[in-house]
């Protein structure tokens, strides 16, 4: 039973995107995950909600207030190709 838990935990960690943070040209925070860029949409007392910067895309990321990844929601759609970061 413990072995199954370890395997499941490893699979979840493998699927979790690595995230980093940059600032927009206007000085706003942007989250970068798997070469996609997310802008901060809303902050509550426990969670920051990030939305994809591609118009019409349903992908979202939730982080805690210390910018630790909590979960990803949805898939990128449409898939025009990943954004190129400069």
């Amino acid at each position: 039973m413990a072995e199954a838990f370890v395997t499941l935990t490893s699979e979840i960690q493998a699927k979790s995107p690595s995230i980093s943070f940059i600032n927009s040209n206007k000085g706003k925070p942007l989250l970068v995950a798997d070469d996609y860029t997310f802008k901060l949409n809303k902050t509550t007392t426990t969670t920051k909600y990030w939305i994809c910067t591609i118009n019409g895309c349903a992908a979202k990321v939730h982080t805690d207030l210390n910018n630790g990844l909590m979960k990803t929601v949805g898939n990128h759609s449409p898939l025009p190709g990943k954004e190129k970061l400069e």
Side-chain angles (χ1 to χ4, degrees), residues 25-81:
N25 293 336
K26 296 182 179 181
K28 302 285 185 182
L30 296 173
L31 180 150
V32 181
D34 289 340
D35 296 327
Y36 287 99
T37 308
F38 296 81
K39 64 182 179 179
L40 185 61
N41 187 44
K42 179 173 81 169
T43 302
T44 64
T45 57
T46 59
T47 307
K48 291 183 181 180
Y49 298 91
W50 304 82
I51 58 173
C52 186
T53 56
I54 299 171
N55 285 341
C57 183
K60 298 176 177 70
V61 174
H62 298 176
T63 63
D64 60 25
L65 296 181
N66 296 319
N67 294 327
L69 179 65
M70 292 171 63
K71 69 177 180 177
T72 58
V73 180
N75 294 317
H76 290 279
S77 59
L79 295 173

